[in-house]
């Protein structure tokens, strides 16, 4: 079997995927025209040409501008269905979708509009593709903890439909400790907890995410490699890292994929997964992340299988749902 077919055949969970980051320019322009929203670009081509990022913030500025095209429940449904179609083609059996309600409520879009559109897509993806999914509400860390509490208040009537909470947006200068009380409240509510840490921020932010927010997974976490004590802890505690290789190169965390530290993390015994983050902006969905990383770092099939296994094990699902995926995975050759 060719390597690309092997990668697609691996049953895998995608655990780090911002649904707003799957908005391809074609759909962005379609929605903007339908909704009478003005975009900062003249064409699809001009939009793609603008995706030349120097750091996280340079990406976030465009990502929030593009999200302005999303207004109605139907828009969120279409957005997520387009993602699920690609996920199915890539061999994704389970997806945990991040969504950023503050990006939408700040523009006057109701929390319920966002959630209902996404939830309907999750139900349709299960019926159409057999892909199960979860929704994880992300708080924007460049905003205040008070703003986060107001968002949690809006989410309260819908908590049965939200599996967990995360923390995203501009990392530097916004450490996890800024949100200690908010995440304590989310834990009391029984929500799963994750946070972006160690993408651009220092290893100390990863330690804060673990000790203060009490996260169950770290999103990115690649800068852990700078701290030997932290590396040993992540290996010992088997904390899953949702690594996004193409994102890291597009946002200049690593100069090239060949210089990415994913194999170093894997060799140190960390529970590494591969994900696409914002695939419409970073040049590839999850299978391309697996494949390009495999070529760049000389990963073996056994290593790719291990990464897919890690993703299934790190998913927020019952073992009854997980077991058949693992059985399918183990039946594949190395
Ligand atoms: N929001 C969307 N993608 C993100 C990323 N890679 N880091 C932080 N916030 C984000
Ligand atoms: Zn992310």
């Amino acid at each position: 079997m060719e390597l690309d077919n092997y990668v697609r055949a691996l049953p895998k969970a995608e655990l780090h995927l911002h649904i707003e980051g799957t908005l391809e320019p074609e759909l962005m322009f379609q929605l903007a025209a339908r909704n009478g929203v003005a975009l900062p670009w003249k064409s699809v081509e001009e939009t793609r040409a603008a995706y030349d990022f120097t750091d996280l913030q340079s990406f976030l500025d465009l990502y929030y501008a593009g999200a302005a095209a999303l207004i109605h429940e139907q828009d969120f449904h279409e957005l997520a269905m387009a993602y699920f179609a690609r996920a199915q083609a890539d061999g994704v059996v389970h997806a945990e979708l991040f969504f950023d309600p503050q990006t939408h409520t700040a523009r006057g879009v109701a929390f319920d509009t966002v959630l209902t559109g996404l939830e309907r897509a999750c139900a349709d993806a299960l019926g159409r593709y057999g892909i199960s999914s979860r929704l994880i509400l992300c708080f924007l860390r460049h905003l205040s903890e008070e703003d986060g509490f107001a968002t949690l208040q809006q989410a309260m009537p819908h908590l049965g439909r939200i599996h967990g909470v995360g923390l995203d947006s501009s990392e530097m200068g916004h450490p996890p400790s800024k949100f200690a009380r908010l995440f304590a409240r989310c834990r009391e509510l029984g929500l799963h907890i994750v946070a972006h840490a160690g993408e651009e921020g220092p290893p100390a932010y990863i330690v804060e995410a673990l000790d203060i927010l009490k996260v169950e997974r770290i999103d990115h976490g690649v800068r852990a490699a700078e701290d030997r004590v932290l590396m040993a802890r992540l290996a010992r505690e088997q904390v899953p890292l949702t690594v996004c290789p193409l994102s890291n190169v597009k946002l200049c965390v690593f100069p090239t994929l060949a210089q990415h530290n994913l194999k170093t993390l894997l060799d140190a015994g960390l529970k590494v997964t591969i994900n696409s983050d914002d695939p419409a902006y970073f040049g590839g969905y999850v299978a391309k992340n697996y494949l390009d990383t495999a070529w760049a770092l000389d990963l073996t099939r056994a290593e790719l299988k291990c990464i897919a296994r890690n993703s299934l094990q790190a998913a927020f699902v019952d073992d009854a749902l997980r077991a058949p995926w693992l059985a399918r995975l183990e039946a594949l050759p190395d």
Side-chain angles (χ1 to χ4, degrees), residues 12 30 42 69 73 101 151 157 168 183 205 227 231 244 246 271 278 286 332:
K12 58 188 91 60
Q30 228 176 296
K42 287 197 200 67
E73 182 194 317
T151 300
D168 66 0
F183 276 71
Y205 283 21
D227 181 334
M231 285 289 279
C244 307
L246 291 177
K271 202 171 185 68
D278 302 283
V286 69
L332 287 171

Side-chain angles (χ1 to χ4, degrees), residues 32-283:
R34 200 162 84 191
N35 294 332
V37 171
L39 292 171
W41 309 283
K42 287 197 200 67
S43 65
V44 164
E45 294 69 32
E46 192 184 308
T47 308
R48 280 222 168 79
Y51 294 173
D52 183 21
F53 310 117
T54 50
D55 58 11
L56 175 58
Q57 193 60 50
S58 67
F59 153 70
L60 289 171
D61 293 343
L62 301 203
Y63 163 84
Y64 295 131
L70 298 159
I71 305 281
H72 302 291
E73 182 194 317
Q74 178 64 25
D75 305 342
F76 290 93
H77 179 266
E78 268 178 61
L79 173 70
M81 287 315 289
Y83 164 69
F84 282 122
R86 292 184 185 257
Q88 136 96 2
D90 277 3
V92 171
V93 295
H94 174 79
E96 303 197 349
L97 275 52
F98 293 150
F99 69 109
D100 288 343
Q102 287 153 301
T103 300
H104 312 300
T105 53
R107 300 180 289 113
V109 176
F111 186 98
D112 193 45
T113 300
V114 181
L115 187 64
T116 305
L118 295 179
E119 204 189 23
R120 206 155 53 76
C122 290
D124 289 349
L126 186 61
R128 194 177 298 177
Y129 303 122
I131 298 179
S132 69
S133 54
R134 303 284 183 254
L135 292 173
I136 298 180
L137 183 168
C138 281
F139 297 108
L140 300 181
R141 69 202 303 159
H142 68 273
L143 300 178
S144 66
E145 187 180 46
E146 191 186 355
D147 207 304
F149 266 113
T151 300
L152 180 59
Q153 199 55 41
Q154 290 177 293
M156 287 302 284
H158 312 288
L159 281 193
R161 304 144 75 189
I162 296 170
H163 263 76
V165 293
L167 187 64
D168 66 0
S169 193
S170 322
E171 188 178 7
M172 294 302 276
H174 303 285
S177 51
K178 177 178 166 185
F179 299 93
R181 295 176 316 147
L182 178 61
F183 276 71
R185 179 73 190 120
C186 290
R187 289 199 308 277
E188 282 171 8
L189 292 167
L191 290 159
H192 285 291
I193 308 288
V194 299
H196 285 53
E199 177 185 19
E200 284 190 343
Y205 283 21
I206 300 175
V207 175
E208 282 194 7
L210 292 167
D211 291 342
I212 300 175
L213 305 188
K214 303 196 188 304
V215 296
E216 295 158 79
R217 303 191 298 241
I218 295 282
D219 296 316
H220 294 295
V222 292
R223 286 198 60 194
E226 296 166 30
D227 181 334
R228 279 180 42 236
V229 174
L230 176 59
M231 285 289 279
R233 175 181 181 185
L234 292 171
R236 189 172 62 248
E237 297 178 6
Q238 287 292 284
V239 180
L241 300 189
T242 63
V243 178
C244 307
L246 291 177
S247 162
N248 292 152
V249 174
K250 277 297 266 186
L251 302 187
C252 307
V253 174
F254 298 97
T256 67
L257 210 46
Q259 287 159 284
H260 197 287
N261 69 4
L262 181 138
K263 191 162 158 51
T264 307
L265 302 173
L266 204 58
D267 288 347
L270 274 63
K271 202 171 185 68
V272 172
T273 67
I274 288 184
N275 309 270
S276 69
D277 205 4
D278 302 283
Y281 293 86
F282 300 150

